[in-house]
Amino acid sequence: MADTMLYEAQGLQLDLSKITRLYPAAIVEGGGAEAQVSLEWAELKKDEVRIAEYVLVFDFDPPGEVPVQRKLLHFETKAALFETMQALSDIFEKAYKGA
């Protein structure tokens, strides 16, 4: 993989070569509180909570450490989230094929 793979979106510049964790999530509202949950959980509980938005979470901290360098991309729809996930998948695939 390249030493640096910059990806720009939503005003953020992210070095994809330094990601330690990358995952989708939903921000849900229920009972007066807001929480980040897995997409699967949000779908299971969609009758009990409101999905406020979808996020793609980029962690840059070493595994096991408290994530202080976390960045999020925000999406109004799951389709928009999945579109960005596919674009990132294409970037990683090209980078690894070229390595």
Side-chain angles (χ1 to χ4, degrees):
M1 185 164 61
D3 289 340
T4 301
M5 292 186 341
L6 295 181
Y7 178 75
E8 294 187 32
Q10 300 180 7
L12 297 175
Q13 189 176 59
L14 306 165
D15 184 351
L16 302 179
S17 67
K18 296 188 178 180
I19 292 173
T20 55
R21 282 183 12 146
L22 173 63
Y23 59 93
I27 304 295
V28 297
E29 297 173 343
E34 188 175 270
Q36 179 181 302
V37 300
S38 72
L39 296 181
E40 296 84 3
W41 189 94
E43 287 295 319
L44 286 172
K45 301 292 185 177
K46 64 184 174 189
D47 294 334
E48 301 169 37
V49 296
R50 183 181 85 77
I51 298 175
E53 67 179 336
Y54 296 92
V55 293
L56 190 54
V57 181
F58 297 77
D59 281 341
F60 295 93
D61 297 288
E65 290 190 14
V66 175
V68 295
Q69 299 181 67
R70 177 174 285 169
K71 304 291 182 198
L72 291 97
L73 295 182
H74 302 266
F75 305 92
E76 291 184 17
T77 66
K78 188 166 37 171
L81 167 66
F82 284 178
E83 184 178 306
T84 297
M85 289 171 60
Q86 183 60 57
L88 288 168
S89 176
D90 294 344
I91 291 169
F92 283 116
E93 185 176 334
K94 287 177 188 173
Y96 280 109
K97 282 184 178 179

